[in-house]
Each structure stands twice: as C-alpha cells, then as structure tokens.
C-alpha cells in the first residue's frame, strides 16, 4: 500500500492530507497563529483551587483558565518545582545535578501542593475544545522521532507495539546504559532495530532542548510559553513517516526545503520523496483531495453498492447509523447481506474516525444480526481496522440491541468541514444573472487589469466548462483577447470553482484582489 502526503500551504493555515493508494485517510489543519497545541510547555499561574474537584485552574494565557487535576500532577512534581526555583536562582542548571525529591502521594489533595498565585510549569495535554479551556499535566515530556524524554524520572519503558519480547529487552538494556541521569525514556515503536549511536545522538538533542528552554525561565513573567511543540506538519511527519511513504507533495518552496532538511535528519534515505509542486490548479484539486473531502465529510457517507452511513454529532457523543440502502443480492439471505454490509461499514467507520478526528464516545448502530459468530466477526473486523489508528481507543462488543460503543482519545477539536455551500450565484435569492453575462464580466475585469494596471502576463482561473468555452476553436475568445491587448493570457480550469466563479493571477501565481 503506497502512502503519500499532500500539503497545502495557505495564507492563514496549512492543510495536510494523508493518502493511502490515493484514498484520503487523514486530514489535519494547522492555523498559522496556532497556540495551546498538545505538547506546548507553559509557565502558568494558579488562579483558583477547587477542593471539591481536587483540581486547580491555571492561567496559561488562554481566554479561559486551563484545568489541572491532581491525578495529572507528575509523581515528580516536587522535583519539578525545586528545579524551577534553582533555574530562577542560577539562570538554568543541568537536570543531572538535581537531587530528586520523593514522589507525591497518589491519594493526596491539590491544596497540599498548590496555592493561589503559585507559578507552575505545565504541559498542554488536550487542546481547547468547544467551551472548555486546555487540559494540563505537570508530567513534562519532550517527544523525538525514536524516543520520548521524561525529565525527573528514572524509568525506561518500551512501546508494546514492538511485538518481539527479545527486541523489547534489547532496547530497554541499551537505553538504560546510555540514559542521562534524572531522565526517564519511552522508546517509540519506530525505534525497533535501531542502534545505540542513533539513540545517544537523539537523547543529547532532547536534553539540550529541554535545559536550554528552562535557562531563560527567570526572565519570563507568567503566563508565558516555555517550550513550544514543533509545528504540526513536522510533528505529523515525526509520528507517521515510515518505509511505505512514496511521495510528499508541497505547494510552498520554503516549507518544502524545511521538510526535506527535517527528513534528512531522521531518515536520510527518504529525502528524495519531498517534491515541490507548482501548479495553476490548487494542489488539493490537482490530487483529487478536495473532491474526496466534500464526499467524505458530510452527514451522509456512501461506501459500497448503495450502502451508506449517517453521522450525527452531539455535545455528549457521536452517533453513526449503518444503512444498507437499496443494496440486495439475489439468492442471499438477510443475515449474510447484513454481515457483508456491516463488515464494509466497519472499514469506512475506522477511516471516518481518523479523518474527522472524532473523539469521546462513539455509538454505532449496525444492521441487526442474529448469529453470535457473525457478531464476533464484526467485532474482530472493527478491531483489526482500528489497529492503525494512533489515538488510544477501546472497542466494546455489540450489545443485545446491535449497538457498538467505542471510546477514542480526544486531544484536539474534531475536524469540521462544511460540505453544504450557499449558492455563490444567487446568494440564496433563487435568482441569477443571465449566464451569457459571465464572459462580459471576465472581459471587463481583464481590460481593467491590462489597460489600467498595465499588466501583461495573466492567468485566468475559471470552471472547466467556462475554460473549454473560452478556448474552443482555432480563433477562440481567449486568442482574440490576446491579439487585442497584445498580452499573454493563460486560461486554467479549476474543478472546485463554481460555474460563474473566476479569478485572475499574476505571473508569479499570486491572486489579484
């Protein structure tokens, strides 16, 4: 199965689409001004202690105070506090020189450790969702490609996704022999088969990154960011890049160079897969992603031979209804038809959960099946299709009512894409200008740019139907315009444009307002 990444850099955001065999599997959007992302470490100030909840609200600069529960305090919270005080007094210090404090009581009270007005270092564990502020933890960690660094800990743990018990033992022994003092380490799945030199180099980089960030903490007045997670594009690559990746397409030259440089540090053999794409058509249209987004993220999703899903979202949970539609097979009984539709639905549901990044509780109403072995087949299918999902999840067997419940980790707001569009022609009135006038409007704008603005090289983007009309014939409308104004005019058809939509771009492919 070939894997490709399409990255669309826009003015205010970056859209990342993960394709497997050209089929859209994940969609991630990163706002240019994104703050309070998972992994960001902040120097915050305790605003309120809630004894009843055994939690505190901490000001980290978000419009709503962030939530820190006692259970999210690190066992090494006292060591972290001591380190912060020493860093403020000495302008930074190596963690290796710190004498670790005893671990906190697992069943303690928040008021015993925190007080209003206290400064505290915290990490974003869950981004702001809906009306809630960020969720915090004081168990700090710095993620690398192969390892996760855990300051003030002494533990080494290895990913359970590495199946070989012998390999897990090898990795644990190796990391324990090179682990810096007062640092714990989590070995990631991608570290399987790697050598000590690679780990030693990465550990050194992570330690330097952490300690350099805390050198300047005395100059910070809370709330302030201490250490930001790398941007989502790079984090996405760090977490998912593997040998199955064949291409990474980027429409921005600067980001293309950054990604190529980053990949050269983590997987030099993959550097050549990064390709800068410069095209008149938007990159998501060029690779057919925009069409897949529109067809996959609506309320109704078709998946096989007329069968479809209906996906509804509420504040409490998500509901998915499986429908067979008009799909029937002659000669087959209802049970086998139901099983076939349900198995196909399980594949599509697993894709939808990743694509929309749905989290919390998901309830699925499958088509009723009478036989226990068929219900088990469906559960096994759901588990196998969800194996590649990087979010933590739990799948429960079908209830006696034919409902399956899934809980899926939610750390970011759900991906919301509006697939219903208001008519750009009539603006909701139900009436539109005569179709023949669109060419006159284009020509009027064209003359303004060529005569008034003195521009000579233009690209006109229109719907493919309009593009075909403008370029039709030996003495086409487009050619007549070029001879009239002695200018170069390039007409491009863009499938995602509305029938009357048109835009002009200059010779550098920049849109003209």
């Amino acid at each position: 199965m070939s894997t490709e990444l399409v990255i669309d850099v826009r003015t205010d955001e970056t859209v990342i689409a993960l394709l497997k065999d050209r089929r859209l599997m994940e969609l991630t959007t990163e706002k240019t001004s994104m703050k309070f992302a998972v992994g960001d470490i902040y120097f915050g100030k305790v605003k309120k202690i809630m004894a009843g909840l055994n939690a505190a609200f901490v000001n980290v600069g978000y419009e709503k105070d962030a939530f820190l529960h006692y259970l999210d305090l690190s066992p090494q919270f006292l060591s972290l506090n001591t380190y912060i005080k020493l860093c403020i007094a000495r302008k930074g210090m190596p963690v290796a020189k710190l004498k670790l404090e005893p671990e906190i009581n697992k069943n303690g009270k928040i008021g015993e450790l925190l007080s209003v007005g206290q400064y505290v270092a915290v990490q974003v564990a869950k981004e702001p969702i809906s009306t809630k502020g960020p969720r915090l933890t004081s168990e700090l960690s710095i993620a690398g490609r192969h390892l996760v660094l855990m300051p003030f800990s002494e533990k080494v743990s290895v990913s359970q996704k590495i199946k070989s018990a012998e390999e897990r033992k090898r990795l644990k022994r190796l990391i324990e022999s090179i682990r810096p003092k007062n640092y714990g380490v989590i070995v990631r799945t991608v570290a399987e088969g790697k050598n000590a030199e690679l780990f030693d180099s990465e550990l050194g980089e992570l330690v330097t990154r952490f300690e350099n960030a805390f050198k300047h903490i005395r100059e910070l007045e809370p709330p302030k960011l201490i250490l930001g997670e790398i941007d989502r594009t790079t984090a996405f690559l760090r977490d998912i890049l593997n040998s199955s990746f064949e291409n990474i397409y980027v429409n921005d030259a600067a980001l293309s160079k950054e990604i190529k440089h980053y990949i050269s540090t983590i997987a030099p053999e993959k550097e050549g897969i990064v390709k800068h794409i410069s095209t008149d058509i938007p990159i998501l249209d060029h690779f057919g992603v925009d069409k897949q987004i529109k067809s996959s993220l609506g309320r109704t999703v078709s998946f096989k031979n007329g069968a479809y899903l209906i996906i509804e979202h509420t504040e409490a949970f998500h509901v998915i209804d499986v429908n067979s539609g008009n799909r029937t097979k002659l000669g087959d009984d209802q049970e086998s038809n139901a099983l076939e539709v349900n198995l196909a639905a399980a594949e599509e549901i697993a894709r939808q959960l990743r694509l929309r990044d749905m989290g919390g509780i998901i309830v699925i109403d499958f088509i009723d099946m009478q036989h226990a072995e068929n219900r088990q087949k469906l559960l096994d299918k759901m588990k196998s299709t969800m194996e590649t999902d990087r979010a933590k999840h739990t799948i429960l067997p079908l209830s006696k009512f034919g409902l399956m419940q899934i809980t899926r980790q939610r750390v970011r707001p759900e991906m919301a894409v509006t697939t219903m569009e208001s008519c750009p022609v009539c603006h909701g009135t139900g009436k539109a200008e005569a179709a023949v006038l669109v060419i006159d409007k284009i020509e009027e704008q064209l003359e303004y740019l060529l005569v008034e603005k003195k521009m000579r090289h233009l690209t006109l983007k229109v719907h493919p139907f309009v593009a075909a009309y403008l370029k039709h014939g030996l003495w086409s409308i487009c050619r007549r315009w070029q001879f009239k104004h002695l200018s170069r005019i390039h007409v491009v058809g863009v499938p995602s444009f509305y029938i009357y939509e048109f835009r002009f771009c200059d010779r550098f492919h920049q849109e003209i307002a």
Side-chain angles (χ1 to χ4, degrees):
M1 181 180 284
S2 67
T3 308
E4 296 174 312
L5 214 58
V6 180
I7 303 174
D8 182 15
V9 180
R10 303 173 183 175
T11 307
D12 58 342
E13 64 181 11
T14 300
V15 180
I16 309 163
L18 175 67
L19 308 179
K20 289 195 176 178
D21 291 336
R22 289 296 170 105
R23 190 163 182 245
L24 182 62
M25 300 303 292
E26 284 190 49
L27 189 67
T28 304
T29 302
E30 178 191 1
K31 296 290 181 186
T32 306
S33 57
M34 181 66 187
K35 292 181 179 179
F36 308 101
V38 172
D40 286 350
I41 299 176
Y42 282 87
F43 198 30
K45 186 176 183 179
V46 178
K47 293 297 294 290
K48 192 185 291 183
I49 301 293
M50 304 294 289
L53 296 174
N54 202 17
F57 284 99
V58 181
N59 179 15
V60 291
Y62 188 66
E63 58 193 48
K64 292 198 171 185
D65 290 336
F67 185 76
L68 177 64
H69 195 274
Y70 184 88
L71 295 177
D72 292 321
L73 290 178
S74 165
Q76 293 80 29
F77 180 76
L78 297 176
S79 298
L80 171 61
N81 258 4
T82 303
Y83 182 70
I84 291 172
K85 290 173 185 174
L86 291 171
C87 282
I88 292 172
R90 305 180 186 181
K91 201 172 182 181
M93 70 172 285
V95 173
K97 291 186 177 180
L98 179 71
K99 183 182 177 183
L100 296 183
E101 303 283 346
E103 292 189 359
I104 64 172
N105 180 5
K106 291 180 182 178
N107 302 312
K109 300 295 181 185
I110 194 85
E112 297 169 0
L113 297 173
L114 294 177
S115 57
V116 174
Q118 181 178 341
Y119 294 163
V120 60
V122 287
Q123 190 165 26
V124 177
K126 188 182 287 188
E127 291 176 13
I129 296 173
S130 187
T131 58
K132 302 171 184 175
R135 176 102 185 222
L136 305 175
T137 175
S138 73
E139 191 159 10
L140 309 185
S141 63
I142 314 290
R145 167 71 172 160
H146 304 93
L147 308 169
V148 178
L149 190 71
M150 308 284 289
F152 319 112
S153 174
E154 298 283 349
K155 295 178 182 176
V156 174
S157 54
V158 181
S159 168
Q160 291 299 311
K161 290 184 180 179
I162 297 176
K163 302 299 182 187
S164 167
E166 192 59 40
E167 175 64 6
R168 287 202 302 273
K169 286 178 185 176
R170 182 190 77 86
L171 289 169
K172 189 165 186 176
R173 283 197 305 267
L174 197 157
I175 296 299
E176 282 177 341
S177 67
I178 62 172
R179 174 183 63 83
K181 186 182 177 185
N182 293 343
Y183 281 105
V185 178
I186 298 172
V187 183
R188 307 184 74 174
T189 311
V190 73
E192 187 172 6
K194 301 297 189 295
N195 58 38
E197 185 182 357
L198 178 70
F199 297 143
D200 192 47
S201 172
E202 187 168 312
L203 277 174
E205 290 172 10
L206 294 175
V207 168
T208 302
R209 190 169 167 228
F210 178 80
E211 293 181 357
N212 282 348
F214 276 79
K215 272 182 184 176
H216 307 289
I217 199 167
R218 69 187 296 178
E219 300 159 14
L220 302 180
E221 182 66 30
K224 273 286 189 294
L225 179 69
I226 299 175
L227 180 61
E229 169 68 296
I230 54 179
D231 65 84
R232 194 166 290 181
T233 309
T234 309
F236 199 74
L237 282 170
R238 178 194 66 198
D239 294 341
I240 69 168
L241 187 68
N242 56 46
S243 57
S244 70
F245 269 72
E246 291 188 355
N247 296 294
I248 297 175
Y249 301 106
V250 193
N251 66 343
D252 181 81
L255 183 60
S256 175
K257 286 180 182 176
E258 285 179 29
I259 293 174
K260 195 170 282 192
H261 173 71
Y262 177 71
I263 289 181
S264 69
T265 63
I266 63 170
E269 72 282 358
K270 286 286 182 182
E271 188 179 346
I273 69 174
V274 183
K275 298 178 175 73
H276 174 227
I277 299 292
S278 180
T279 173
D280 294 324
I281 301 174
I283 191 168
L284 294 185
D285 273 330
H286 183 75
F287 289 99
V289 176
D290 194 67
K291 184 179 179 182
Q292 290 193 58
I293 291 172
K294 298 293 184 186
S295 64
S296 299
L297 291 171
R299 177 176 176 267
T300 303
V301 180
S302 299
F303 61 93
K304 187 177 183 181
N305 299 335
Y308 61 94
L309 306 174
I310 295 179
I311 303 175
E312 297 280 7
H313 310 282
T314 72
E315 188 69 22
F317 54 87
H318 310 277
V319 182
I320 301 176
D321 185 35
V322 180
N323 293 275
S324 60
N326 56 6
R327 183 203 172 287
T328 54
K329 271 191 175 180
L330 293 174
D332 284 355
D333 59 13
Q334 192 274 338
E335 182 79 8
S336 59
N337 268 332
L339 176 62
E340 190 174 341
V341 172
N342 283 341
L343 293 177
E347 283 190 16
E348 182 60 30
I349 289 167
R351 172 175 170 258
Q352 287 290 328
L353 297 186
R354 290 178 64 185
L355 191 55
R356 301 175 189 232
D357 202 9
M358 291 164 63
I361 300 171
I362 300 108
V363 178
I364 307 163
D365 182 11
F366 284 103
I367 299 170
D368 288 340
M369 296 183 295
Q370 304 302 318
H371 301 320
E373 61 268 25
N374 289 339
R375 295 156 76 94
Q376 186 60 44
K377 281 180 186 176
L378 177 57
L379 177 62
D380 294 341
K381 179 70 172 179
M382 197 76 227
K383 287 181 176 179
S384 67
T385 54
M386 292 278 289
E387 275 183 354
T388 54
D389 196 329
R390 290 176 290 117
K392 293 178 183 176
H393 57 269
T394 304
I395 304 171
L396 298 182
L398 287 166
S399 71
K400 65 179 180 179
F401 299 117
L403 302 177
M404 180 179 287
Q405 297 174 67
I406 298 176
T407 59
R408 188 174 182 272
Q409 183 185 30
R410 175 165 59 182
V411 295
R412 296 187 179 95
E414 180 196 342
M415 172 64 64
V417 175
T418 304
T419 57
M420 302 295 287
E421 300 166 347
S422 58
C423 177
V425 181
C426 71
H427 304 291
T429 64
K431 296 180 180 180
E433 293 182 16
V436 293
L437 296 181
V438 68
I439 304 301
D440 293 340
K441 281 191 167 187
I442 292 172
E443 189 168 12
E444 183 182 314
Q445 179 74 3
L446 181 69
E447 290 204 6
Y448 169 74
L449 294 172
L450 294 174
V451 177
E452 298 291 329
K453 293 289 188 180
K454 308 294 183 187
M455 303 182 82
R456 282 293 169 264
H457 299 277
L458 292 175
T459 297
L460 170 62
K461 295 182 178 181
V462 290
H463 188 277
F465 290 173
V466 179
Y469 176 73
L470 292 175
K471 295 191 286 187
H472 178 69
L474 185 64
W475 190 243
S476 65
I477 294 173
C478 179
R479 184 162 291 183
R480 292 205 300 270
W481 286 345
Q482 293 185 83
F483 273 94
K484 179 181 177 181
H485 298 287
L486 299 176
S487 299
R488 185 182 171 192
I489 302 164
H490 182 43
V491 178
V492 177
V494 181
S496 62
F497 273 27
Y498 313 118
I499 190 73
Y500 296 161
E501 185 178 1
F502 65 90
R503 297 176 195 169
F504 283 99
C505 297
D506 60 22
R507 64 197 302 174
F508 304 108
H509 304 289
Q510 297 297 313
E511 192 173 313
I512 301 169

